[in-house]
Amino acid sequence: MSIAKHKILIVDDEPDILELIEYNLNKEGYQVYTATNGQEAVSEAKRVLPDLIILDIMMPKMDGIEACRILRSMPEFKNTFMVFLTARSEEYSEIAGFNVGADDYIAKPIKPRSLISRINAILRRNAQAEEVTENKLEIADLVIDRDAFLVFKKGEKIILAKKEFELLYLLASKPGKVFTRDVILKSIWEDSVVVTNRTIDVHIRKLREKLGEMYVTTVKGVGYKFEAK
């Protein structure tokens, strides 16, 4: 999908912020829509089905975290990229954002050139995700074959244990998306009562030993993400 066809919804209760972001994204060729609170965001998102939503956290009527939670519960927004834009820098607000399904976090004050670069990078992740076939991922120099439970790095076969493979496949299925520990536990180990956060850490360490350090990134206090560098 070309940049000109990408639709972006900006949600912020500060008119100056909306105008600044809208102006710069329009210059890049994006189709831009706006809303001023969480309630408007949910309605407008259902109307235009954007590819990416930029949400402020602190807003009247409904804050960004609640709006994100509601949108993520709808099937049509399961794979929509959602980015929080906020002046709040406390770690707990970032964790809350990732816990309801945010893909990224951009702090105010806004630097237009930096913001555009970040948005372009996020939408490139989406293009990578769209190249994923049902049972095989080809990302960076990795081929991850779900049917054969095999991973190839630059053509060389890498042998992974079953849970290591499932963890890698989960993270690589959405490059750049932060997966919280709770989501990883539920997705990979389901309701096993013997699994702890330490189990995830051990499997991440084994993946890094076998694949190298460059693919799986730790997001402190939240979880992990796959980066196709």
Side-chain angles (χ1 to χ4, degrees), residues 188-204:
I188 306 300
W189 284 274
E190 298 177 343
D191 297 323
S192 176
V193 296
V194 298
V195 175
T196 65
N197 284 334
R198 175 62 179 161
T199 301
I200 298 176
D201 296 337
V202 170
H203 281 73
I204 292 292

Side-chain angles (χ1 to χ4, degrees), residues 1-8 25 27-31 51 116 120 123-124:
M1 181 181 291
S2 67
I3 282 180
K5 294 182 180 178
H6 277 124
K7 293 183 287 187
I8 299 179
L25 291 179
K27 279 179 61 179
E28 288 291 304
Y30 292 111
Q31 298 179 53
D51 301 290
I116 294 300
N120 289 341
L123 288 170
R124 279 197 298 270

Side-chain angles (χ1 to χ4, degrees), residues 23-199:
Y23 172 77
N24 282 278
L25 291 179
N26 277 327
K27 279 179 61 179
E28 288 291 304
Y30 292 111
Q31 298 179 53
V32 184
Y33 304 86
T34 62
T36 58
N37 60 65
Q39 289 182 357
E40 286 184 11
V42 173
S43 297
E44 188 70 354
K46 290 194 291 186
R47 186 182 73 83
V48 303
L49 297 177
D51 301 290
L52 183 145
I53 302 174
I54 303 173
L55 284 161
D56 188 27
I57 286 188
M58 299 298 291
M59 294 184 294
K61 296 185 180 179
M62 180 189 293
D63 64 30
I65 288 178
E66 178 64 11
C68 182
R69 186 192 65 77
I70 291 172
L71 290 169
R72 276 288 187 239
S73 70
M74 302 177 186
E76 59 265 45
F77 299 108
K78 181 180 179 182
N79 295 315
T80 302
F81 276 80
M82 299 196 193
V83 178
F84 278 124
L85 179 69
T86 180
R88 298 179 65 180
S89 59
E90 299 94 329
E91 186 177 270
Y92 76 85
S93 65
E94 293 189 24
I95 294 172
F98 286 126
N99 281 337
V100 294
D103 294 291
D104 210 338
Y105 205 95
I106 299 175
K108 297 176 182 177
I110 297 166
K111 298 177 180 178
R113 190 172 297 178
S114 176
L115 175 68
I116 294 300
S117 177
R118 192 80 160 265
I119 296 304
N120 289 341
I122 290 168
L123 288 170
R124 279 197 298 270
R125 298 176 199 167
N126 195 37
Q128 290 172 332
E130 289 175 354
E131 294 173 359
V132 171
T133 60
E134 184 176 355
N135 292 311
K136 183 180 287 187
L137 308 180
E138 298 185 24
I139 303 175
D141 55 4
L142 296 181
V143 176
I144 308 169
D145 189 331
R146 191 180 184 90
D147 287 334
F149 268 79
L150 289 175
V151 176
F152 296 87
K153 179 181 178 182
K154 297 181 180 178
E156 179 183 350
K157 184 190 296 183
I158 307 292
I159 304 299
L160 300 180
K162 184 174 185 290
K163 292 300 184 185
E164 293 168 10
F165 180 90
E166 290 177 352
L167 176 56
L168 175 63
Y169 194 91
L170 174 68
L171 297 176
S173 67
K174 296 195 70 174
K177 176 178 175 58
V178 178
F179 287 85
T180 65
R181 291 173 177 272
D182 284 345
V183 167
I184 293 172
L185 286 172
K186 290 175 183 176
S187 300
I188 306 300
W189 284 274
E190 298 177 343
D191 297 323
S192 176
V193 296
V194 298
V195 175
T196 65
N197 284 334
R198 175 62 179 161
T199 301

